[in-house]
Amino acid sequence: MRPTRPTSLPTRCYRLTRMGWHIAVGLAIVATRFPRLAYAERAVVTQRWSRQLLKILGITVEVSGDSPGFYPSNTLLVANHVSWLDIFVLNSATVSRFVAKQEIRRWPVAGWLVSSAGTVFIDRNSRRDASRVNQHLARALENGGCMAVFPEATTSDGSVLLPFKPSLFESVRQSRGTVQPVALNYRTPHDTPCTAAAYAGDTTFLQSLGMILATPAIRVELRYGNRISADGDGDSEPSRFQLAEAARAEIARGLRIAPVLHGTAARTPADPPA
């Protein structure tokens, strides 16, 4: 099969211009409308904005599996981590609030934007901070929220599934909620693996954005796995380690790959997003 030709320079400039304007509109919405909206109302705006961003970048999302719905209550959404696009792909189908590393809070513009959108920040260098975040997540889940984590705690090129860190699964145990695994698989229109979106290794954000703008079309398969109850089956409650491994097995099945112990394409812990 002949390789797909990259987009023309005018097309890339057009996409970049539209993306810049779309981000400016998003900043205005967060600054003026979000403070007056409940989380459920914010979810509607977030989903619409995310879908439009993906459309601008030539990205389509194909959803399969048993979807938990638009904004499922007391649900911890758990996904593999490939790209900074993952957040918008997930929000285009099921809207949630995310956990991110605390360094992002200090980023110009982006830090304020994600903080205003309800992101929960965590110090990944402190085990003690995981307890604080778990308490925060548990309260949000108990209050009917949908929260999302990337338990690999780093990104890969999408060809492997890295080990899951189980610490934040404690929150859904405390809320007696539901773990919803979801697999993200980036493909070309010809159904071959697409690495253009991967934000891994030494790739910078600008390099990643450049590859996405140069790619004519990206198709993302979003597959929901079987839901996992943190309340147990009446005999015993699963541990956070058991929940993490069960979610990882569901995501591996959705990706149609073996959940290997480690990969070579991971970012360093200092790189975004969390």
Side-chain angles (χ1 to χ4, degrees):
M1 182 180 296
R2 296 177 60 185
T4 302
R5 296 181 60 182
T7 60
S8 65
L9 181 59
T11 297
R12 296 178 214 180
C13 293
Y14 177 66
R15 283 183 173 181
L16 185 59
T17 301
R18 290 188 65 196
M19 179 181 171
W21 175 251
H22 190 60
I23 291 174
V25 170
L27 290 170
I29 290 173
V30 169
T32 59
R33 292 183 57 190
F34 261 40
R36 303 193 302 270
L37 299 177
Y39 279 121
E41 295 172 311
R42 293 182 182 185
V44 175
V45 177
T46 298
Q47 185 178 72
R48 186 183 303 124
W49 191 91
S50 297
R51 286 178 173 177
Q52 184 60 31
L53 175 66
L54 297 176
K55 183 178 180 180
I56 289 170
L57 296 175
I59 300 169
T60 58
V61 180
E62 297 179 359
V63 179
S64 61
D66 185 14
S67 170
F70 165 64
Y71 190 67
S73 64
N74 202 356
T75 298
L76 185 69
L77 202 68
V78 176
N80 59 305
H81 204 7
V82 178
S83 173
W84 54 272
L85 290 171
D86 295 347
I87 292 174
F88 309 111
V89 171
L90 290 170
N91 276 339
S92 72
T94 297
V95 180
S96 56
R97 294 164 58 199
F98 289 81
V99 176
K101 64 175 189 174
Q102 66 174 359
E103 289 87 347
I104 293 179
R105 192 200 296 265
R106 297 192 294 269
W107 289 4
V109 183
W112 174 81
L113 180 62
V114 298
S115 179
S116 300
T119 298
V120 178
F121 296 97
I122 183 172
D123 181 358
R124 294 200 175 276
N125 296 319
S126 171
R127 291 187 177 182
R128 183 174 300 177
D129 198 48
S131 177
R132 175 190 66 83
V133 173
N134 270 318
Q135 294 293 331
H136 189 115
L137 290 180
R139 288 195 299 270
L141 292 169
E142 289 170 344
N143 291 331
C146 178
M147 309 301 292
V149 297
F150 298 112
E152 291 171 290
T154 186
T155 54
S156 75
D157 63 1
S159 64
V160 297
L161 186 60
L162 304 174
F164 279 9
K165 297 184 181 300
S167 58
L168 296 184
F169 284 85
E170 184 63 29
S171 63
V172 74
R173 290 185 74 247
Q174 294 177 17
S175 71
R176 296 182 179 274
T178 300
V179 177
Q180 174 61 74
V182 57
L184 302 177
N185 191 5
Y186 288 81
R187 314 288 292 180
T188 70
H190 304 298
D191 201 31
T192 58
C194 179
T195 59
Y199 187 38
D202 296 326
T203 303
T204 66
F205 175 77
L206 289 180
Q207 289 172 334
S208 172
L209 178 59
M211 288 188 292
I212 292 168
L213 294 174
T215 304
I218 297 175
R219 183 172 61 86
V220 187
E221 296 177 349
L222 191 157
R223 291 193 179 96
Y224 291 103
N226 293 322
R227 298 167 204 172
I228 305 164
S229 173
D231 203 15
D233 55 9
D235 296 327
S236 63
E237 297 179 4
S239 69
R240 65 179 186 271
F241 300 97
Q242 291 172 320
L243 290 173
E245 285 308 303
R248 188 164 177 256
E250 283 294 311
I251 293 173
R253 185 170 63 86
L255 295 173
R256 299 189 291 270
I257 62 175
V260 296
L261 294 179
H262 44 69
T264 59
R267 295 190 66 83
T268 63
D271 289 325

